Amino acid sequence: MPVRIHHVGVAVTNLDESILLYRSAFGAELVHRATNEKEGLEAAFLRMGDGEVELMTPLREDSPVGKFMAKRGPGFHHVAYGVSDIESALAEARAAGLELIDNEPRVGMHGARIAFLHPKSVGGVLTELVEI
Ligand code: CO
């Protein structure tokens, strides 16, 4: 099902500082930055070679990322696998017995269709499928 690692999501305290750090330390290139008021987060996507890192910071303490940060602090948040057909990837995940957070694909912050799988059925790692 997964064709490749698409991006890694990292929760950060200060988005501007983290973007500067990733640019200077790794030569990462900022490709997209957006705010999602509904989910209560601001995210920046930086290209690193043929993959990306998604830096994300909460807008509110009671948002999903805000709660994550309060509980676990900044750091690794999720991995995203790129798939060519998200409908069939979700069907395969469901058939394999994985617990889905999103039963249907939805549009993610960078415009692609995404769906999350529950960490407890994927080795404790919040896992995102992204259609590429
Ligand atoms: Co992501």
Side-chain angles (χ1 to χ4, degrees):
M1 170 181 62
V3 294
R4 65 178 176 89
I5 294 175
H6 183 269
H7 67 264
V8 170
V10 178
V12 301
T13 307
N14 185 309
L15 193 58
D16 290 317
E17 283 179 8
S18 297
I19 291 169
L20 283 174
L21 178 73
Y22 274 72
R23 290 172 73 179
S24 63
F26 303 121
E29 179 195 353
L30 180 64
V31 289
H32 186 59
R33 181 171 178 166
T35 295
N36 184 330
E37 288 291 344
K38 186 164 164 273
E39 297 282 330
L41 70 96
E42 185 177 12
F45 290 86
L46 293 105
R47 175 149 292 283
M48 297 177 70
D50 58 4
E52 290 183 11
V53 63
E54 174 185 3
L55 302 176
M56 50 209 301
T57 198
L59 298 175
R60 304 183 294 270
E61 284 183 8
D62 66 347
S63 66
V65 178
K67 289 177 187 166
F68 174 92
M69 293 274 276
K71 195 171 159 191
R72 304 177 58 173
F76 174 73
H77 182 268
H78 68 273
V79 65
Y81 298 123
V83 298
S84 56
D85 177 349
I86 198 162
E87 312 279 359
S88 63
L90 269 180
E92 283 176 41
R94 192 182 287 113
L98 304 187
E99 187 178 326
L100 312 184
I101 293 176
D102 297 304
N103 284 300
E104 301 293 333
R106 58 189 173 90
V107 177
M109 295 182 73
H110 39 60
R113 294 201 302 161
I114 64 165
F116 278 94
L117 309 178
H118 198 285
K120 76 181 177 194
S121 61
V122 210
V125 176
L126 179 60
T127 299
E128 175 184 359
L129 302 176
V130 54
E131 193 167 62
I132 55 173

PDB file of all heavy atoms in Angstrom, residues 25-46:
ATOM      1  N   ALA A  25      20.197  24.614   9.198  1.00  0.00           N
ATOM      2  CA  ALA A  25      20.913  23.393   9.589  1.00  0.00           C
ATOM      3  C   ALA A  25      20.856  22.318   8.519  1.00  0.00           C
ATOM      4  O   ALA A  25      21.795  21.541   8.362  1.00  0.00           O
ATOM      5  CB  ALA A  25      20.322  22.844  10.898  1.00  0.00           C
ATOM      6  N   PHE A  26      19.729  22.246   7.783  1.00  0.00           N
ATOM      7  CA  PHE A  26      19.545  21.143   6.828  1.00  0.00           C
ATOM      8  C   PHE A  26      19.372  21.600   5.391  1.00  0.00           C
ATOM      9  O   PHE A  26      19.193  20.770   4.492  1.00  0.00           O
ATOM     10  CB  PHE A  26      18.323  20.309   7.231  1.00  0.00           C
ATOM     11  CG  PHE A  26      18.395  19.747   8.627  1.00  0.00           C
ATOM     12  CD1 PHE A  26      17.428  20.056   9.571  1.00  0.00           C
ATOM     13  CD2 PHE A  26      19.433  18.902   8.991  1.00  0.00           C
ATOM     14  CE1 PHE A  26      17.485  19.539  10.857  1.00  0.00           C
ATOM     15  CE2 PHE A  26      19.506  18.380  10.279  1.00  0.00           C
ATOM     16  CZ  PHE A  26      18.530  18.703  11.212  1.00  0.00           C
ATOM     17  N   GLY A  27      19.366  22.910   5.174  1.00  0.00           N
ATOM     18  CA  GLY A  27      19.126  23.397   3.812  1.00  0.00           C
ATOM     19  C   GLY A  27      17.713  23.126   3.344  1.00  0.00           C
ATOM     20  O   GLY A  27      17.455  23.048   2.136  1.00  0.00           O
ATOM     21  N   ALA A  28      16.797  22.971   4.274  1.00  0.00           N
ATOM     22  CA  ALA A  28      15.397  22.699   3.912  1.00  0.00           C
ATOM     23  C   ALA A  28      14.790  23.927   3.244  1.00  0.00           C
ATOM     24  O   ALA A  28      15.156  25.063   3.540  1.00  0.00           O
ATOM     25  CB  ALA A  28      14.605  22.334   5.158  1.00  0.00           C
ATOM     26  N   GLU A  29      13.852  23.661   2.333  1.00  0.00           N
ATOM     27  CA  GLU A  29      13.216  24.743   1.570  1.00  0.00           C
ATOM     28  C   GLU A  29      11.743  24.837   1.951  1.00  0.00           C
ATOM     29  O   GLU A  29      11.000  23.845   1.851  1.00  0.00           O
ATOM     30  CB  GLU A  29      13.359  24.437   0.070  1.00  0.00           C
ATOM     31  CG  GLU A  29      12.717  25.466  -0.822  1.00  0.00           C
ATOM     32  CD  GLU A  29      12.543  24.958  -2.258  1.00  0.00           C
ATOM     33  OE1 GLU A  29      13.044  23.849  -2.567  1.00  0.00           O
ATOM     34  OE2 GLU A  29      11.887  25.655  -3.031  1.00  0.00           O
ATOM     35  N   LEU A  30      11.336  26.010   2.408  1.00  0.00           N
ATOM     36  CA  LEU A  30       9.931  26.208   2.787  1.00  0.00           C
ATOM     37  C   LEU A  30       9.064  26.179   1.539  1.00  0.00           C
ATOM     38  O   LEU A  30       9.255  26.971   0.626  1.00  0.00           O
ATOM     39  CB  LEU A  30       9.771  27.548   3.510  1.00  0.00           C
ATOM     40  CG  LEU A  30       8.363  27.917   3.974  1.00  0.00           C
ATOM     41  CD1 LEU A  30       7.851  26.936   5.021  1.00  0.00           C
ATOM     42  CD2 LEU A  30       8.343  29.343   4.527  1.00  0.00           C
ATOM     43  N   VAL A  31       8.129  25.241   1.484  1.00  0.00           N
ATOM     44  CA  VAL A  31       7.279  25.142   0.298  1.00  0.00           C
ATOM     45  C   VAL A  31       5.841  25.574   0.564  1.00  0.00           C
ATOM     46  O   VAL A  31       5.131  25.966  -0.352  1.00  0.00           O
ATOM     47  CB  VAL A  31       7.289  23.711  -0.309  1.00  0.00           C
ATOM     48  CG1 VAL A  31       8.631  23.423  -0.950  1.00  0.00           C
ATOM     49  CG2 VAL A  31       6.940  22.653   0.718  1.00  0.00           C
ATOM     50  N   HIS A  32       5.404  25.509   1.807  1.00  0.00           N
ATOM     51  CA  HIS A  32       4.016  25.873   2.076  1.00  0.00           C
ATOM     52  C   HIS A  32       3.869  26.163   3.559  1.00  0.00           C
ATOM     53  O   HIS A  32       4.443  25.479   4.397  1.00  0.00           O
ATOM     54  CB  HIS A  32       3.092  24.718   1.671  1.00  0.00           C
ATOM     55  CG  HIS A  32       1.631  25.028   1.767  1.00  0.00           C
ATOM     56  ND1 HIS A  32       1.040  26.062   1.070  1.00  0.00           N
ATOM     57  CD2 HIS A  32       0.633  24.448   2.479  1.00  0.00           C
ATOM     58  CE1 HIS A  32      -0.252  26.102   1.349  1.00  0.00           C
ATOM     59  NE2 HIS A  32      -0.528  25.140   2.206  1.00  0.00           N
ATOM     60  N   ARG A  33       3.085  27.207   3.855  1.00  0.00           N
ATOM     61  CA  ARG A  33       2.805  27.524   5.246  1.00  0.00           C
ATOM     62  C   ARG A  33       1.343  27.914   5.345  1.00  0.00           C
ATOM     63  O   ARG A  33       0.856  28.695   4.520  1.00  0.00           O
ATOM     64  CB  ARG A  33       3.704  28.674   5.697  1.00  0.00           C
ATOM     65  CG  ARG A  33       3.497  29.061   7.153  1.00  0.00           C
ATOM     66  CD  ARG A  33       4.552  30.056   7.609  1.00  0.00           C
ATOM     67  NE  ARG A  33       4.308  30.451   8.982  1.00  0.00           N
ATOM     68  CZ  ARG A  33       5.173  31.082   9.754  1.00  0.00           C
ATOM     69  NH1 ARG A  33       6.368  31.399   9.279  1.00  0.00           N
ATOM     70  NH2 ARG A  33       4.875  31.394  10.990  1.00  0.00           N
ATOM     71  N   ALA A  34       0.620  27.347   6.297  1.00  0.00           N
ATOM     72  CA  ALA A  34      -0.814  27.596   6.369  1.00  0.00           C
ATOM     73  C   ALA A  34      -1.314  27.470   7.793  1.00  0.00           C
ATOM     74  O   ALA A  34      -0.721  26.783   8.625  1.00  0.00           O
ATOM     75  CB  ALA A  34      -1.562  26.608   5.468  1.00  0.00           C
ATOM     76  N   THR A  35      -2.413  28.165   8.033  1.00  0.00           N
ATOM     77  CA  THR A  35      -3.081  28.085   9.332  1.00  0.00           C
ATOM     78  C   THR A  35      -4.411  27.371   9.156  1.00  0.00           C
ATOM     79  O   THR A  35      -5.123  27.613   8.192  1.00  0.00           O
ATOM     80  CB  THR A  35      -3.324  29.513   9.877  1.00  0.00           C
ATOM     81  OG1 THR A  35      -2.059  30.126  10.118  1.00  0.00           O
ATOM     82  CG2 THR A  35      -4.115  29.470  11.170  1.00  0.00           C
ATOM     83  N   ASN A  36      -4.698  26.467  10.065  1.00  0.00           N
ATOM     84  CA  ASN A  36      -5.985  25.773  10.061  1.00  0.00           C
ATOM     85  C   ASN A  36      -6.703  26.130  11.356  1.00  0.00           C
ATOM     86  O   ASN A  36      -6.404  25.569  12.417  1.00  0.00           O
ATOM     87  CB  ASN A  36      -5.760  24.260   9.937  1.00  0.00           C
ATOM     88  CG  ASN A  36      -7.061  23.483   9.820  1.00  0.00           C
ATOM     89  OD1 ASN A  36      -8.087  23.883  10.348  1.00  0.00           O
ATOM     90  ND2 ASN A  36      -7.000  22.367   9.124  1.00  0.00           N
ATOM     91  N   GLU A  37      -7.614  27.098  11.263  1.00  0.00           N
ATOM     92  CA  GLU A  37      -8.303  27.587  12.464  1.00  0.00           C
ATOM     93  C   GLU A  37      -9.136  26.479  13.107  1.00  0.00           C
ATOM     94  O   GLU A  37      -9.204  26.366  14.330  1.00  0.00           O
ATOM     95  CB  GLU A  37      -9.213  28.774  12.111  1.00  0.00           C
ATOM     96  CG  GLU A  37      -8.467  30.058  11.789  1.00  0.00           C
ATOM     97  CD  GLU A  37      -7.768  30.667  13.007  1.00  0.00           C
ATOM     98  OE1 GLU A  37      -8.103  30.286  14.150  1.00  0.00           O
ATOM     99  OE2 GLU A  37      -6.879  31.515  12.808  1.00  0.00           O
ATOM    100  N   LYS A  38      -9.763  25.663  12.255  1.00  0.00           N
ATOM    101  CA  LYS A  38     -10.646  24.620  12.781  1.00  0.00           C
ATOM    102  C   LYS A  38      -9.863  23.603  13.628  1.00  0.00           C
ATOM    103  O   LYS A  38     -10.299  23.234  14.711  1.00  0.00           O
ATOM    104  CB  LYS A  38     -11.344  23.919  11.603  1.00  0.00           C
ATOM    105  CG  LYS A  38     -12.394  22.911  11.985  1.00  0.00           C
ATOM    106  CD  LYS A  38     -13.287  22.576  10.789  1.00  0.00           C
ATOM    107  CE  LYS A  38     -14.070  21.305  11.023  1.00  0.00           C
ATOM    108  NZ  LYS A  38     -13.311  20.100  10.607  1.00  0.00           N
ATOM    109  N   GLU A  39      -8.694  23.198  13.110  1.00  0.00           N
ATOM    110  CA  GLU A  39      -7.867  22.231  13.842  1.00  0.00           C
ATOM    111  C   GLU A  39      -6.972  22.919  14.870  1.00  0.00           C
ATOM    112  O   GLU A  39      -6.310  22.247  15.665  1.00  0.00           O
ATOM    113  CB  GLU A  39      -7.000  21.427  12.870  1.00  0.00           C
ATOM    114  CG  GLU A  39      -7.777  20.570  11.881  1.00  0.00           C
ATOM    115  CD  GLU A  39      -8.299  19.291  12.531  1.00  0.00           C
ATOM    116  OE1 GLU A  39      -7.647  18.803  13.465  1.00  0.00           O
ATOM    117  OE2 GLU A  39      -9.343  18.797  12.098  1.00  0.00           O
ATOM    118  N   GLY A  40      -6.940  24.254  14.832  1.00  0.00           N
ATOM    119  CA  GLY A  40      -6.172  25.008  15.823  1.00  0.00           C
ATOM    120  C   GLY A  40      -4.669  24.848  15.702  1.00  0.00           C
ATOM    121  O   GLY A  40      -3.959  24.712  16.706  1.00  0.00           O
ATOM    122  N   LEU A  41      -4.166  24.866  14.459  1.00  0.00           N
ATOM    123  CA  LEU A  41      -2.711  24.748  14.293  1.00  0.00           C
ATOM    124  C   LEU A  41      -2.224  25.565  13.108  1.00  0.00           C
ATOM    125  O   LEU A  41      -2.980  25.887  12.195  1.00  0.00           O
ATOM    126  CB  LEU A  41      -2.298  23.282  14.132  1.00  0.00           C
ATOM    127  CG  LEU A  41      -2.674  22.553  12.840  1.00  0.00           C
ATOM    128  CD1 LEU A  41      -1.529  22.581  11.851  1.00  0.00           C
ATOM    129  CD2 LEU A  41      -3.054  21.117  13.133  1.00  0.00           C
ATOM    130  N   GLU A  42      -0.942  25.898  13.178  1.00  0.00           N
ATOM    131  CA  GLU A  42      -0.246  26.485  12.043  1.00  0.00           C
ATOM    132  C   GLU A  42       0.856  25.512  11.648  1.00  0.00           C
ATOM    133  O   GLU A  42       1.545  24.973  12.521  1.00  0.00           O
ATOM    134  CB  GLU A  42       0.352  27.855  12.399  1.00  0.00           C
ATOM    135  CG  GLU A  42       0.984  28.535  11.192  1.00  0.00           C
ATOM    136  CD  GLU A  42       1.519  29.926  11.496  1.00  0.00           C
ATOM    137  OE1 GLU A  42       1.612  30.294  12.685  1.00  0.00           O
ATOM    138  OE2 GLU A  42       1.864  30.636  10.528  1.00  0.00           O
ATOM    139  N   ALA A  43       0.999  25.285  10.350  1.00  0.00           N
ATOM    140  CA  ALA A  43       1.972  24.297   9.888  1.00  0.00           C
ATOM    141  C   ALA A  43       2.806  24.853   8.751  1.00  0.00           C
ATOM    142  O   ALA A  43       2.350  25.705   7.984  1.00  0.00           O
ATOM    143  CB  ALA A  43       1.264  23.022   9.424  1.00  0.00           C
ATOM    144  N   ALA A  44       4.036  24.393   8.666  1.00  0.00           N
ATOM    145  CA  ALA A  44       4.931  24.752   7.573  1.00  0.00           C
ATOM    146  C   ALA A  44       5.506  23.459   7.001  1.00  0.00           C
ATOM    147  O   ALA A  44       5.955  22.589   7.754  1.00  0.00           O
ATOM    148  CB  ALA A  44       6.054  25.648   8.080  1.00  0.00           C
ATOM    149  N   PHE A  45       5.465  23.357   5.682  1.00  0.00           N
ATOM    150  CA  PHE A  45       6.027  22.187   5.009  1.00  0.00           C
ATOM    151  C   PHE A  45       7.355  22.581   4.387  1.00  0.00           C
ATOM    152  O   PHE A  45       7.430  23.550   3.623  1.00  0.00           O
ATOM    153  CB  PHE A  45       5.066  21.672   3.938  1.00  0.00           C
ATOM    154  CG  PHE A  45       3.828  21.045   4.517  1.00  0.00           C
ATOM    155  CD1 PHE A  45       2.736  21.829   4.852  1.00  0.00           C
ATOM    156  CD2 PHE A  45       3.760  19.682   4.755  1.00  0.00           C
ATOM    157  CE1 PHE A  45       1.596  21.260   5.413  1.00  0.00           C
ATOM    158  CE2 PHE A  45       2.631  19.106   5.315  1.00  0.00           C
ATOM    159  CZ  PHE A  45       1.544  19.897   5.642  1.00  0.00           C
ATOM    160  N   LEU A  46       8.400  21.843   4.747  1.00  0.00           N
ATOM    161  CA  LEU A  46       9.735  22.124   4.228  1.00  0.00           C
ATOM    162  C   LEU A  46      10.241  20.918   3.463  1.00  0.00           C
ATOM    163  O   LEU A  46      10.186  19.786   3.974  1.00  0.00           O
ATOM    164  CB  LEU A  46      10.696  22.464   5.375  1.00  0.00           C
ATOM    165  CG  LEU A  46      10.369  23.775   6.098  1.00  0.00           C
ATOM    166  CD1 LEU A  46       9.742  23.492   7.444  1.00  0.00           C
ATOM    167  CD2 LEU A  46      11.608  24.619   6.251  1.00  0.00           C
TER     168      LEU A  46
END
